[in-house]
Amino acid sequence: MTPEKQKKALDSWQTSARYWDKYRALIAQIFAPLTSGLVDEARIKTGQRVLDIGGGTGEPALTICSIVGPTGSVMYTDPVAGMLETTQTEAARRGVTNIHFTQCSADELPFADRSFDAAVGRLSAMFLVDPVKALREALRVIAEDGIVSFVVWGPKEANPFFSAVTDVIDRFVEVPPPEPDAPETFRFAAPGKLVRVLENAGAKNVIERRLNFQIEAPISFEQFWQLRTEMSGTLRDKMVRLMPTERPTVKHAVADAVRRYFVSGTMSFAAQALIVSGRKSAG
Ligand SMILES: C[S@@+](CC[C@H](N)C(=O)[O-])C[C@H]1O[C@@H](n2cnc3c(N)ncnc32)[C@H](O)[C@@H]1O
């Protein structure tokens, strides 16, 4: 990725920070199964020191703070100032004291070797500039018996929460063919792809687990539309490229496409994620 593209991507996350913060409670609810799956796979427990890579508006860091308790701690990291600031504010609001913050990219972690018991990332691995380098860094900073675990989205077709919207919008906006392996939501959707990256980074006993769950919340289509078109940088860009006269047509077509996922005042999309974990040392 060129430095200009990297800067553009981080600027987009900076804008996203305000919307992820705005929908904090709803996002926490709909993506909670990802956090639980990640915590289970990384075997997070009381007293551990855990590194969160690409912590965004604070998950899984804030959940893990309550699991590791006062004898443990979480190091939240993200390269985007806006993300870090919203999480600091939220942690202070909740009175969380076992969290620390470092603004950094996963490519260069400013921590000594073996500083943590585990390193985790929820929905961040796919946006890493150089995933092998970043995962090598994650392995460097965990203990010899430490675990790294990342959760990423499974295939687009298994995730209508995303595809039902983009499939419609892409009929109206010309979309350039994606560059191979570009940082994007479904970069690691192919089973085995993130496994190979983690193995190339030097991890041992790498395993991949498929997580099927429901993205569920008591919200209307209107609230869903607002959430999706605000929280995603890609969708925000596409919406801007629509002609103003096209926007109501697109929204109407999306409403038709997702109608079956909204029943009796509840949104419920089937979803699929992959949790990929590995150890620093075999055995
Ligand atoms: C989809 S968000 C996920 C945030 C959070 N973990 C969650 O699940 O709510 C992706 C996050 O990856 C971060 N990110 C982007 N590039 C990164 C990099 N090079 N290193 C670490 N994190 C990065 C973004 O700033 C953003 O906060």
Side-chain angles (χ1 to χ4, degrees), residues 10 13 20 54-56 59 78-80 83 105-106 122-124 127-128:
L10 293 181
W13 284 119
W20 282 64
E59 285 299 333
D78 201 287
V80 174
M83 292 289 186
S105 167
R122 189 184 86 167
L123 308 178
S124 54
F127 302 108
L128 299 174

Side-chain angles (χ1 to χ4, degrees), residues 197-216:
V197 172
L198 201 47
E199 284 173 347
N200 288 342
K204 306 288 187 288
N205 303 349
V206 178
I207 51 162
E208 175 181 272
R209 190 163 76 80
R210 193 187 303 159
L211 178 70
N212 289 307
F213 69 108
Q214 296 295 124
I215 294 183
E216 225 159 33

Side-chain angles (χ1 to χ4, degrees), residues 143-164:
E144 281 315 311
D145 60 351
I147 299 183
V148 292
S149 272
F150 291 89
V151 62
V152 295
W153 290 114
K156 186 171 173 250
E157 309 74 56
N159 284 295
F161 178 78
F162 298 100
S163 61

Side-chain angles (χ1 to χ4, degrees), residues 1 6 9-10 12-14 16-17 20 27-28 31 34-35 38 52-61 76-81 83-84 104-109 120-130 134 151 153 183 185 231:
M1 206 174 24
Q6 272 177 46
L10 293 181
S12 176
W13 284 119
Q14 176 69 20
S16 293
W20 282 64
I27 292 173
F31 293 163
L34 299 173
T35 302
L38 195 57
D52 183 6
I53 294 172
T57 45
E59 285 299 333
Y76 163 104
T77 62
D78 201 287
V80 174
M83 292 289 186
L84 187 135
C104 64
S105 167
D107 300 326
E108 283 173 53
L109 296 172
V120 296
R122 189 184 86 167
L123 308 178
S124 54
M126 52 281 229
F127 302 108
L128 299 174
V129 181
D130 181 342
V151 62
W153 290 114
T185 307
M231 76 186 273

